[in-house]
Amino acid sequence: MARIAGVNLPTGKRVIIALQYIHGIGPKNAKDIMTNLSLPMDRRVSQLTDAEVLQIRELIDRDYLVEGDLRREVAMNIKRLMDLGCYRGLRHRKGLPVRGQRTHTNARTRKGPAKTIAGKKKTA
């Protein structure tokens, strides 16, 4: 089992798919890694040699921001917005959608479960 950036890659999958289990590596970055190391696209994780795993690990450590470092940077960016008190920071602070979505209806993912108002009845 290959362990890269603190993530155990599933052995039965193709490397290009397994690399996407690492936070910060998507389809494009996974393809770029494979082409940079000149590995075939249909190679499985179980078929990788120790040297190839080491090459992948070194390339990711050198060129990509992944896992804990990436999560920390995103959290710091959000904290900076909240400290500035800008509009996006206020939306983060209140737990509302940040990118202009409507909140009259929908937005249940950010707002949480619906809170019913006691004593108010619908008239039909």
Side-chain angles (χ1 to χ4, degrees):
M1 179 178 285
R3 186 171 174 85
I4 298 173
V7 177
N8 292 327
L9 300 183
T11 55
K13 294 189 182 283
R14 292 186 304 141
V15 178
I16 198 165
I17 301 300
L19 284 174
Q20 295 177 42
Y21 279 66
I22 301 170
H23 181 73
I25 295 182
K28 184 189 181 311
N29 286 342
K31 187 176 182 215
D32 290 346
I33 289 168
M34 295 292 283
T35 53
N36 284 349
L37 298 177
S38 65
L39 293 172
M41 294 293 175
D42 59 348
R43 178 76 60 90
R44 303 254 170 197
V45 175
S46 57
Q47 298 169 339
L48 287 175
T49 64
D50 290 338
E52 290 171 336
V53 172
L54 188 64
Q55 282 181 322
I56 293 171
R57 190 177 297 133
E58 288 173 350
L59 180 72
I60 289 174
D61 287 343
R62 187 179 67 235
D63 296 340
Y64 296 96
L65 192 63
V66 293
E67 284 299 324
D69 295 333
L70 179 61
R71 292 180 204 272
R72 193 174 309 108
E73 184 173 313
V74 169
M76 289 303 293
N77 289 341
I78 291 171
K79 186 179 181 317
R80 179 179 50 82
L81 290 171
M82 289 166 59
D83 290 343
L84 283 172
C86 65
Y87 182 77
R88 283 173 56 201
L90 295 176
R91 301 297 282 186
H92 274 290
R93 197 179 302 157
K94 292 178 183 176
L96 293 169
V98 178
R99 297 187 176 178
Q101 297 91 335
R102 65 180 290 137
T103 57
H104 178 70
T105 59
N106 306 332
R108 292 277 44 123
T109 301
R110 286 289 297 189
K111 290 168 69 174
K115 301 167 202 75
T116 56
I117 301 169
K120 195 164 188 174
K121 293 184 181 179
K122 263 191 172 175
T123 55

